[in-house]
Amino acid sequence: MELLKIEEVAKRTGLTKRAIRYYEDFGLISAPERTQGGIRLYSEEDIEKINKIILAKEVLGFSLAELQQYLEFQTIIEQQKSEYRTTEDREARRSKLIEMSQVLQKEKMMIDLKLTRMAQFQEELIEFEQRVLKAIDQLHE
C-alpha cells in the first residue's frame, strides 16, 4: 500500500496542508501514520474519506460540527452493516436493520434542515431580486 505525504494529499484533494491538519485536529479524519521524523503519511482510504468530507461540505453546506456528526453516523452505519452480515440470528439481524434505519432517519433530518434553510435563503433572494427589478422598472417610467 502506497502512503502519500501531505503535499500529495493536498494536490489530490484541493485542500491546503493546513486544512488537512485542521481536519485531523478537529477529528474529522484519523491521525495518519507518521515516519520516524514525524512526517504524516496518508493512505488511499484517508484520501477517500477527505474527499467524502469535501463533498458533504460543498454539496450539503455542512459546518465542521455537522460534518463530524455526519461522519459519526456513517461510522455507525458501517458497523451495523458489518454486524448484520456476520450474524445468523434472525432477530439480531432485524435489530441491526432497525438501528440502521434510525441512523439514516437522523441523517435525513440533518439534510432536510439544510434544505429548508436553503429554500428560505433562496426565497429571500427571489424577493429581493423582485424588488430590485421593480425599482428598475420604476426608473424607466
Side-chain angles (χ1 to χ4, degrees), residues 32-44:
E33 291 185 38
R34 290 182 185 249
T35 65
Q36 288 184 348
I39 296 172
R40 290 171 166 86
L41 297 174
Y42 297 87
S43 67
E44 287 298 324

Side-chain angles (χ1 to χ4, degrees), residues 3 6 20 54 59 62 66 106 112 115 133 140:
L3 296 175
I6 196 167
I20 295 167
I54 293 168
V59 173
F62 281 171
E66 289 168 325
K106 289 178 185 177
D112 286 344
L115 290 172
L133 293 174
H140 285 300

Side-chain angles (χ1 to χ4, degrees), residues 53 55-70 73 105-124:
I53 292 167
L55 185 63
K57 190 171 190 258
E58 289 177 359
V59 173
L60 301 173
F62 281 171
S63 67
L64 291 178
E66 289 168 325
L67 282 169
Q68 194 172 33
Q69 185 177 14
Y70 178 78
F73 287 156
Q105 287 174 7
K106 289 178 185 177
E107 280 187 312
K108 285 181 4 188
M109 285 173 47
M110 284 179 65
I111 293 170
D112 286 344
L113 180 59
K114 281 290 181 190
L115 290 172
T116 299
R117 289 179 183 161
M118 291 172 90
Q120 290 169 342
F121 186 71
Q122 182 181 35
E123 187 60 37
E124 289 175 16

Side-chain angles (χ1 to χ4, degrees), residues 19 28 68 78 87 140:
L28 294 177
Q68 194 172 33
E78 288 303 316
T87 186
H140 285 300

Side-chain angles (χ1 to χ4, degrees), residues 33-100:
E33 291 185 38
R34 290 182 185 249
T35 65
Q36 288 184 348
I39 296 172
R40 290 171 166 86
L41 297 174
Y42 297 87
S43 67
E44 287 298 324
E45 277 185 10
D46 293 326
I47 294 172
E48 285 178 30
K49 187 166 186 177
I50 291 169
N51 283 327
K52 283 183 182 181
I53 292 167
I54 293 168
L55 185 63
K57 190 171 190 258
E58 289 177 359
V59 173
L60 301 173
F62 281 171
S63 67
L64 291 178
E66 289 168 325
L67 282 169
Q68 194 172 33
Q69 185 177 14
Y70 178 78
L71 293 172
E72 287 172 12
F73 287 156
Q74 292 296 309
T75 300
I76 291 168
I77 288 172
E78 288 303 316
Q79 288 172 343
Q80 297 298 339
K81 281 175 25 181
S82 176
E83 291 173 16
Y84 174 83
R85 290 182 187 129
T86 58
T87 186
E88 297 292 324
D89 180 48
R90 194 171 169 87
E91 191 54 39
R93 293 185 87 168
R94 182 178 183 283
S95 176
K96 294 299 171 197
L97 290 172
I98 289 170
E99 290 173 27
M100 277 190 272

